[in-house]
Amino acid sequence: MSRTPLIVHTIPALRRALDRITKKNATTALVPTMGALHDGHVSLVRLAKRRARKVIVSIFVNPTQFAPSEDFNSYPRTWKADIARLTAEDVDLVWHPDVKTMYPDGFATTILTEGPATVGLEDRFRPHFFRGVTTVVGKLFTQCRPDFAIFGEKDFQQLRVITQMARDLDLGVKVVGSRTVRDRDGLAMSSRNVYLSPVERSAAPELYRAMKETVRRLRDGDPIEAAVAGGAEILKMAGFTLDYFEVRHGETLAPIASLKDGPMRILVAANIGETRLIDNLAV
Ligand code: PAF
């Protein structure tokens, strides 16, 4: 029988818990989350367990990465089910600060990154997003001081931005990306998939199909422009409105002219009804 993880809400309690779990010099891996855990998160936890002796999961719906018009208030919160999942996975510690603990009155520091945070993908459509993510993840790293931190590749630009930040600020944590987990029909798992109506849910896998078709055409030697236009057309036919559907360098996320210039990645953000989905695929 698995034991409920230690759950802490304050910085002093976190310090004591970290002292306890790292007593025998145990390595730690942190999985930062906003809760509403699904099988994708479970795969992050399992990867964390393979990397380190002790696993910490943070659950914090971070207000600073949502614009006022976005879904902070309605973001799914499923605390009981989340703890049940983390108990089943034998997680050691859950860090669950409230907003006042993370951002006390008078909080006045922001971490701003350039490089992958300013390549014109998510940052173009959600200009507030990365400063919110880097500030909170920077804090999670200094609070939890993990040896490893695991992030899903589904948020590929976020993974690149956090990797850059950890390196630039010598945060002493190895940032590890974890493969995207998909439903059987190809839809990448996301806490926001619960927003999809049945009709939207049945159209959503077209996102994966459009990326796969574009990968196929690129590998067959089609010019990038034509392959991308074909992918975008699949999505329009399926009822999506596109924010972007682009081929970029798989590490720097800079625009790329041909397969010879380095690893390529397709990155897409598209809206179906009220829901915005993002996904990506290596070429
Ligand atoms: O990917 C997420 O769930 C969030 O952006 C993160 C990394 C937990 C920061 O709030």
Side-chain angles (χ1 to χ4, degrees), residues 141-159:
F141 285 176
T142 54
Q143 290 163 347
C144 299
R145 290 184 243 109
D147 300 292
F148 301 93
I150 318 291
F151 294 86
E153 281 187 350
K154 185 183 128 337
D155 297 288
F156 196 75
Q157 190 180 3
Q158 169 175 279
L159 171 64

Side-chain angles (χ1 to χ4, degrees), residues 160-222:
R160 301 311 315 160
V161 169
I162 291 168
T163 303
Q164 178 86 43
M165 171 187 73
R167 196 168 54 207
D168 290 351
L169 298 181
D170 301 314
L171 294 179
V173 46
K174 168 113 183 81
V175 175
V176 180
S178 182
R179 222 173 34 83
T180 301
V181 178
R182 299 181 181 280
D183 277 335
R184 273 162 180 249
D185 57 12
L187 177 64
M189 292 201 178
S190 161
S191 305
R192 288 188 167 103
N193 290 352
V194 297
Y195 298 153
L196 297 168
S197 71
V199 172
E200 291 159 1
R201 176 64 190 79
S202 64
E206 288 296 284
L207 210 59
Y208 186 50
R209 192 172 78 79
M211 291 192 301
K212 277 203 311 193
E213 175 61 12
T214 308
V215 168
R216 187 193 62 73
R217 289 184 62 173
L218 289 168
R219 286 190 186 153
D220 285 352
D222 273 11

Side-chain angles (χ1 to χ4, degrees), residues 63-85:
T64 65
Q65 68 191 72
F66 291 80
S69 58
E70 291 181 351
D71 56 343
F72 174 71
N73 286 325
S74 56
Y75 194 83
R77 287 160 171 89
T78 56
W79 173 257
K80 270 199 177 154
D82 291 352
I83 296 303
R85 269 183 183 265

Side-chain angles (χ1 to χ4, degrees), residues 32-34 60 62 65 129 133 136-137 151 155 158 162:
T33 80
M34 299 205 299
F60 179 65
N62 174 35
Q65 68 191 72
F129 179 66
V133 167
V136 82
V137 172
F151 294 86
D155 297 288
Q158 169 175 279
I162 291 168

